[in-house]
Amino acid sequence: MTTPERSSSAPQPPVPPSRDRVYRSPMAMVGGVLLLGIVLWLGIDALAQGDGRTPWLALASMILVVPGVAAFTVRPAVFANEERLRIRNPFRVVVLPWGQVASLRSGYSNEVVAKSGAKYQLWSIPVSLRARKKAARRTARAGAERNGRGGRGAGLGFGFGGLGGGGEMNGPARAETDKVMDDLRELLEAREKAETAQGDVAVRWAYEVLGPVVAGAVVLVVLLVVG
């Protein structure tokens, strides 16, 4: 008596989705939290202590300002995994499978270009020209130190290797956001032809942000007009 062999067509367990890499701007988040704290402090104080129309104006202003500040500071993020790139900008969420990404560009801003030609800015990965200049100076300084050590070593008949100030650098220094873009480009090159990284681009407006902003603006205008 033989034991039956398992059929090759037996269902396989689902492959768990890859975990997201999350990219945010720490400085934007810190600044946003501070601004929100100031707005809420002033607004709540006006609600509690104000007279006449002041509490209503304070309430309408908070409904308008709080979602707007949060949208531009705390909300933006980029989520990347092996299947797709998800961009959460202030007023939109864009999902691009890697197969639909044509390139990732870095200039005065970082953006992704879809194969359709559409461009989407990466709000949570801002470009810092100051950081780029600092990285360029660091690279130039390391190169000068390396050349100086090489010249002294050649004259003495041996090299000092990593001894001395500064240490060795593996390639030119890069600003942090440029490193993030390099990581995303590597992920694009590795996954753009994968079967699981194909599909259509999806764009969704963030009505949960737009709704309160519009409502607060309307109420504020009405209060100012009515007088």
Side-chain angles (χ1 to χ4, degrees):
M1 185 174 180
T2 60
T3 56
E5 296 182 357
R6 291 187 178 182
S7 173
S8 60
S9 60
Q12 300 295 323
V15 179
S18 61
R19 298 181 63 180
D20 282 333
R21 306 179 191 178
V22 183
Y23 303 96
R24 296 176 181 270
S25 172
M27 293 304 297
M29 294 184 66
V30 171
V33 170
L34 291 176
L35 284 174
L36 289 173
I38 293 172
V39 171
L40 291 174
W41 173 44
L42 295 175
I44 293 174
D45 182 70
L47 284 173
Q49 305 295 332
D51 297 324
R53 292 188 308 145
T54 301
W56 293 104
L57 289 172
L59 179 61
S61 299
M62 284 195 295
I63 295 174
L64 170 65
V65 173
V66 169
V69 171
F72 284 95
T73 57
V74 180
R75 174 182 168 81
V78 170
F79 305 86
N81 61 26
E82 294 184 352
E83 284 76 41
R84 52 96 181 109
L85 181 70
R86 183 162 66 94
I87 306 164
R88 193 170 69 190
N89 281 345
F91 300 119
R92 290 194 300 179
V93 177
V94 184
V95 179
L96 297 101
W98 289 116
Q100 292 292 335
V101 177
S103 64
L104 289 154
R105 295 180 181 175
S106 296
Y108 291 104
S109 64
N110 290 316
E111 60 185 15
V112 58
V113 182
K115 290 184 176 178
S116 63
K119 300 177 183 179
Y120 305 100
Q121 186 174 349
L122 305 179
W123 278 81
S124 68
I125 311 177
V127 169
S128 173
L129 298 180
R130 182 171 177 268
R132 284 182 177 175
K133 292 178 180 178
K134 184 178 180 180
R137 289 196 299 269
R138 183 183 173 193
T139 300
R141 184 168 59 250
E145 292 176 357
R146 186 165 52 248
N147 292 335
R149 289 196 301 270
R152 291 193 298 272
L156 294 172
F158 58 88
F160 288 99
L163 299 178
E168 295 292 337
M169 293 178 57
N170 296 323
R174 301 278 284 166
E176 287 300 321
T177 53
D178 289 336
K179 292 179 183 178
V180 171
M181 294 300 289
D182 291 340
D183 291 341
L184 292 178
R185 291 189 186 100
E186 290 178 4
L187 194 54
L188 171 61
E189 292 176 2
R191 300 297 300 171
E192 62 179 333
K193 295 182 180 179
E195 184 178 353
T196 57
Q198 308 305 312
D200 297 325
V201 178
V203 180
R204 180 182 69 85
W205 288 98
Y207 294 107
E208 66 275 14
V209 176
L210 291 171
V213 169
V214 173
V218 170
V219 173
L220 188 60
V221 169
V222 170
L223 289 173
L224 293 174
V225 170
V226 170

